Amino acid sequence: MSKKATKNLLAILLAVVVIIGIAASSRAVYDNFIKEESVFALSRLGSSGSEVKQIQQKLKSLGYYKGSVDGIYGTQTKNAVTSFQRNCGITADGICGKTTLLYLGITNSGGTGSGSYSNADVELLAKVISAEARGESYEGQVAVGAVILNRVAHPSFPDTLSGVVYQKGAFSCVNDSNWYQPVAESSKRAARDALNGWDPSGGAIYYFNASKTNDAFMHSRTVIKVIGNHKFCI
């Protein structure tokens, strides 16, 4: 074989090796992408299983979903998820990723924060406290968290933490700029204290800042405690 033919053969073999290497690398990237997607367990149109049932049940309790809790992520479930996302101010794509699951109070970690509440519940409660009681004393922050938990236990309100927080018209903070501010460290501690049973509000199920609202209903409630700028009522 001539030197020229040998050089050509070597060039062809090198090209084949490079192509095989690129293909293997691309496959590894694809496999890793699939692995990452499965870790986050996104529920979307066409999905089915226990997580989808949890999503449907949560959305049903919040009034977004009217269908049956069958664990099948159909168009009706997607539309309900989209409406919920739009109301919460997060990306309204109809897909239940980590953020949407957090807002719904659903976690795949299996861990719990305090008592029967999940880590997602603790994070959500801290987020509300931070948005609603920014600038209040620590006792006032815990009291706001306690009111939310008192509502969960009260027959007149939804029976889940996320249901109480996202009940239409209940907390204006979920629709204003405060909702997107970083959660204060004190609010995280206040959430845990409230979940562990501290209730500075004395059993209140309402609170309001008299200088910021003219709502007749709130002003008609019986005030049982005043902490900082908030009046706590039943």
Side-chain angles (χ1 to χ4, degrees), residues 47-111:
S47 298
S48 61
S50 59
E51 183 176 273
V52 177
K53 282 188 176 182
Q54 290 183 69
I55 293 167
Q56 291 172 328
Q57 188 61 59
K58 288 279 188 177
L59 291 170
K60 199 177 187 73
S61 69
L62 294 172
Y64 289 93
Y65 181 65
K66 306 299 182 183
S68 59
V69 181
D70 55 10
I72 300 173
Y73 206 115
T75 301
Q76 194 171 2
T77 301
K78 179 184 177 182
N79 292 341
V81 169
T82 302
S83 295
F84 173 76
Q85 292 170 325
R86 190 176 295 117
N87 186 62
C88 294
I90 56 180
T91 302
D93 55 8
I95 298 172
C96 267
K98 289 180 67 179
T99 300
T100 302
L101 290 174
L102 173 62
Y103 275 56
L104 284 169
I106 298 172
T107 176
N108 292 320
S109 67

Side-chain angles (χ1 to χ4, degrees), residues 70-204:
D70 55 10
I72 300 173
Y73 206 115
T75 301
Q76 194 171 2
T77 301
K78 179 184 177 182
N79 292 341
V81 169
T82 302
S83 295
F84 173 76
Q85 292 170 325
R86 190 176 295 117
N87 186 62
C88 294
I90 56 180
T91 302
D93 55 8
I95 298 172
C96 267
K98 289 180 67 179
T99 300
T100 302
L101 290 174
L102 173 62
Y103 275 56
L104 284 169
I106 298 172
T107 176
N108 292 320
S109 67
T112 57
S114 297
S116 61
Y117 288 94
S118 68
N119 290 326
D121 286 327
V122 178
E123 291 180 39
L124 179 59
L125 184 59
K127 191 174 182 66
V128 180
I129 293 172
S130 187
E132 286 281 297
R134 195 179 303 277
E136 294 295 317
S137 67
Y138 186 70
E139 181 186 11
Q141 293 178 51
V142 178
V144 166
V147 168
I148 295 168
L149 296 176
N150 290 341
R151 288 191 180 190
V152 175
H154 197 281
S156 297
F157 297 92
D159 59 3
T160 63
L161 194 145
S162 60
V164 166
V165 172
Y166 295 119
Q167 185 177 29
K168 292 184 178 180
F171 297 98
S172 60
C173 71
V174 301
N175 294 313
D176 65 31
S177 59
N178 280 330
W179 194 245
Y180 304 100
Q181 297 300 313
V183 176
E185 286 300 319
S186 61
S187 296
K188 296 176 183 179
R189 297 195 305 273
R192 296 189 196 99
D193 279 339
L195 286 163
N196 285 330
W198 184 18
D199 184 2
S201 79

